[in-house]
C-alpha cells in the first residue's frame, strides 16, 4: 500500500469513528471535549489559509469567533431567530469584517501585521463591552436554551461542527490546489517578486482572509448556542488566538491536515489545564504555559509534527533496500586497479658530433 492510500485510509477511518462515536457512547465529557476540539480545528484550518499558505501570522482570529458568537446571540435573543440560521449570518458578518481588516492591513507585513490584528481583537472587545445596550456589556448576553429532548444529548452541536470541520478542510484543499493557492504560496515565498510578475497580492490576501474568517465565524455562532451565554472576556480572548496559532504550528503550518492534528493534540491539554489549574492566577498561568509552548514549537519543531514525521518516514523508506525475492543476487564486479600514469619522457642528452680521426698513411 502506497503512502497516499494509507493516509486516505487512516483519514476515512478517523472520520467514521468520529461520526459513530456519539451513537455508541453516551459519555458527555468526551462529547464536550470533541466539540471543543472541532471548534479549535476549524479555527486552525481557517487560520492556515492565510497564516500557512500566504505566510501572514495573525493573532486576531478569536475576533471572528466573538463576532460570529455575538451576531448569533443578538439575533436569537433580540429577534428570536433560530441560532442555526443566526450562525450563517455570523459567518457573513465575519466575512465582511475580514475584508475590511484586509484593506486596513494591506500595507503591513511581519510583526506589524501581527500587531494590527491583535489591536483589532482588543478594539472589538472594547466595543462589545461599551455597547451594553446591544451586547449586554460586562453582564453578558443570554441565549435561548435548546428545546429538544435530552436524549439527543449534544448531537445537534456535535454533527454540525463535525460537518463544518470537513467542509473547512475540503475548501482548504481546493484552495491549496488551485490558482489561488499557488498565488498564496508565491506571496509567502517573495511577495515583491510575485507583485512584480503581475500577481494581485492584495486581492489574493483578501480572499484568503475572507475564507478563514467565514468558517471561524460560523463556528463561533454554533459555540454561542452551545454555551447559551456570552461574555466578552470569554469570546474575545487572546488565549484562544494563541491556541489557534499554536495548533497550526504544532501540527504543521502550510499543510492540509497539520492544523487538525495540532488541534486534536492541543485541546485535551488545554482542557486539562482549565480543569486542573484553579485560583486567581489560573488565566495568567495558562497564558504563560501556552506562550512557552508556542516558543518551544517555533524553536524545536519549526516545520510541525506532521511534516517532521512524514519527512522521517520518507527517509526510512528511501534507506531501505529493495526486495527482489525472485532475482538472484548478482556477484560484485571485480575491482580493477587504478590506471597507471605514464612516466614523463626524459629528455635525451644531445650527442656531440666528433670528426672521425683517420690514421696516418704508412
Amino acid at each position: 500500500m502506497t503512502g497516499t492510500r494509507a493516509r486516505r485510509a487512516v483519514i476515512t477511518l478517523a472520520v467514521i469513528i468520529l461520526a459513530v462515536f456519539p451513537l455508541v457512547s453516551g459519555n458527555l465529557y468526551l462529547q464536550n471535549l470533541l466539540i471543543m476540539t472541532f471548534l479549535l480545528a476549524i479555527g486552525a484550518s481557517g487560520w492556515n489559509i492565510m497564516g500557512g499558505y500566504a505566510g501572514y501570522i495573525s493573532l486576531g482570529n478569536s475576533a471572528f469567533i466573538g463576532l460570529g458568537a455575538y451576531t448569533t446571540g443578538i439575533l436569537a435573543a433580540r429577534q428570536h431567530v433560530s441560532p442555526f440560521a443566526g450562525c450563517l449570518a455570523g459567518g457573513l458578518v465575519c466575512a465582511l469584517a475580514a475584508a475590511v481588516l484586509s484593506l486596513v492591513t494591506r500595507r503591513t507585513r511581519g510583526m506589524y501585521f501581527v500587531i494590527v490584528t491583535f489591536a483589532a481583537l482588543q478594539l472589538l472587545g472594547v466595543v462589545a463591552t461599551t455597547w451594553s445596550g446591544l451586547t449586554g456589556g460586562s453582564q453578558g448576553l443570554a441565549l435561548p436554551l435548546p428545546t429538544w429532548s435530552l436524549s439527543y444529548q449534544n448531537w445537534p452541536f456535535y454533527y454540525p461542527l463535525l460537518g463544518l470541520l470537513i467542509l473547512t478542510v475540503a475548501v482548504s484543499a481546493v484552495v491549496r490546489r488551485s490558482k489561488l493557492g499557488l498565488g498564496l504560496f508565491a506571496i509567502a515565498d517573495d511577495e515583491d517578486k510575485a507583485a512584480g510578475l503581475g500577481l494581485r497580492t492584495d486581492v489574493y490576501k483578501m480572499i484568503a482572509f475572507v475564507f478563514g474568517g467565514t468558517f471561524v465565524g460560523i463556528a463561533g455562532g454554533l459555540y454561542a448556542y452551545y454555551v447559551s451565554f456570552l461574555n466578552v472576556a470569554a469570546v474575545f480572548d487572546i488565549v484562544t488566538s494563541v491556541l489557534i496559532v499554536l495548533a497550526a504550528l504544532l501540527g504543521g503550518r502550510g499543510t492540509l491536515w497539520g492544523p487538525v492534528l495540532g488541534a486534536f493534540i492541543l485541546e485535551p491539554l488545554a482542557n486539562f489545564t482549565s480543569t486542573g489549574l484553579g485560583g486567581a492566577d489560573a488565566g495568567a498561568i495558562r497564558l504563560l504555559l501556552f506562550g512557552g509552548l508556542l516558543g518551544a514549537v517555533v524553536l524545536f519543531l519549526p516545520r510541525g509534527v506532521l511534516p517532521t514525521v512524514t519527512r522521517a518516514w520518507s527517509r526510512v523508506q528511501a534507506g531501505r533496500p529493495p526486495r527482489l525475492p525472485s532475482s538472484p543476487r548478482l556477484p560484485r564486479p571485480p575491482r580493477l586497479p587504478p590506471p597507471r600514469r605514464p612516466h614523463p619522457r626524459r629528455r635525451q642528452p644531445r650527442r656531440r658530433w666528433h670528426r672521425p680521426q683517420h690514421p696516418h698513411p704508412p
Side-chain angles (χ1 to χ4, degrees):
M1 180 180 292
T2 61
T4 304
R5 291 183 178 180
R7 183 167 58 251
R8 290 178 180 175
V10 171
I11 293 172
T12 304
L13 180 61
V15 172
I16 292 174
I17 292 174
L18 291 175
V20 175
F21 176 76
L23 303 177
V24 298
S25 175
N27 192 330
L28 295 180
Y29 172 76
L30 292 180
Q31 290 183 17
N32 173 71
L33 180 61
L34 286 174
I35 286 173
M36 300 306 296
T37 304
F38 294 160
L39 181 65
L40 181 59
I42 293 168
S45 297
W47 179 92
N48 189 52
I49 298 177
M50 184 66 178
Y53 298 162
Y56 274 76
I57 297 178
S58 167
L59 283 180
N61 267 45
S62 61
F64 298 129
I65 295 179
L67 277 177
Y70 267 98
T71 301
T72 304
I74 291 171
L75 290 176
R78 313 291 187 194
Q79 303 297 327
H80 305 288
V81 178
S82 172
F84 291 107
C87 68
L88 300 178
L92 293 177
V93 171
C94 289
L96 179 61
V100 173
L101 186 58
S102 177
L103 291 176
V104 172
T105 61
R106 63 178 180 174
R107 298 191 181 276
T108 58
R109 300 180 187 178
M111 291 301 301
Y112 300 101
F113 183 81
V114 177
I115 293 172
V116 172
T117 54
F118 175 72
L121 169 64
Q122 299 299 318
L123 179 62
L124 287 175
V126 171
V127 171
T129 305
T130 307
W131 203 349
S132 58
L134 182 65
T135 63
S138 58
Q139 296 181 356
L141 180 66
L143 277 74
L145 295 176
T147 57
W148 54 76
S149 174
L150 293 178
S151 60
Y152 290 106
Q153 301 176 359
N154 292 325
W155 296 359
F157 302 110
Y158 184 94
Y159 287 107
L161 283 173
L162 177 60
L164 183 61
L165 174 58
I166 296 174
L167 179 61
T168 305
V169 174
V171 171
S172 180
V174 172
V175 169
R176 182 183 175 87
R177 298 172 183 175
S178 64
K179 181 181 177 181
L180 175 61
L182 293 177
L184 294 177
F185 282 117
I187 291 172
D189 188 25
D190 194 328
E191 186 172 354
D192 294 331
K193 288 183 179 179
L197 293 174
L199 186 69
R200 302 182 64 181
T201 57
D202 295 341
V203 177
Y204 276 60
K205 291 188 293 184
M206 179 184 291
I207 295 174
F209 220 173
V210 167
F211 272 140
T214 302
F215 292 114
V216 177
I218 296 174
L222 292 173
Y223 171 75
Y225 193 30
Y226 177 65
V227 297
S228 299
F229 184 80
L230 294 178
N231 187 12
V232 176
V235 291
F236 293 101
D237 189 11
I238 184 59
V239 177
T240 306
S241 291
V242 172
L243 287 177
I244 290 174
V245 176
L246 183 56
L249 293 180
L250 180 62
R253 184 179 64 150
T255 62
L256 181 61
W257 293 100
V260 179
L261 177 63
F264 275 84
I265 295 174
L266 192 61
E267 183 56 36
L269 179 61
N271 193 303
F272 173 76
T273 56
S274 299
T275 56
L277 296 178
D281 298 332
I285 294 174
R286 290 182 68 233
L287 184 59
L288 181 63
L289 176 63
F290 291 119
L293 184 59
L294 177 61
V297 169
V298 171
L299 290 176
F300 301 106
L301 279 176
R303 298 172 58 89
V305 173
L306 188 60
T308 303
V309 173
T310 305
R311 188 176 182 182
W313 179 252
S314 299
R315 287 182 177 180
V316 171
Q317 292 290 331
R320 184 176 300 174
R323 296 181 179 180
L324 298 173
S326 58
S327 59
R329 187 174 181 179
L330 300 177
R332 285 186 175 184
R335 191 172 182 179
L336 299 177
R340 299 178 61 183
R341 293 184 177 181
H343 294 286
R345 188 174 184 182
R346 294 181 180 180
R347 185 175 182 182
Q348 299 294 334
R350 185 176 182 182
R351 294 182 180 181
R352 295 183 179 181
W353 182 78
H354 298 278
R355 186 177 182 181
Q357 296 180 1
H358 299 282
H360 298 281

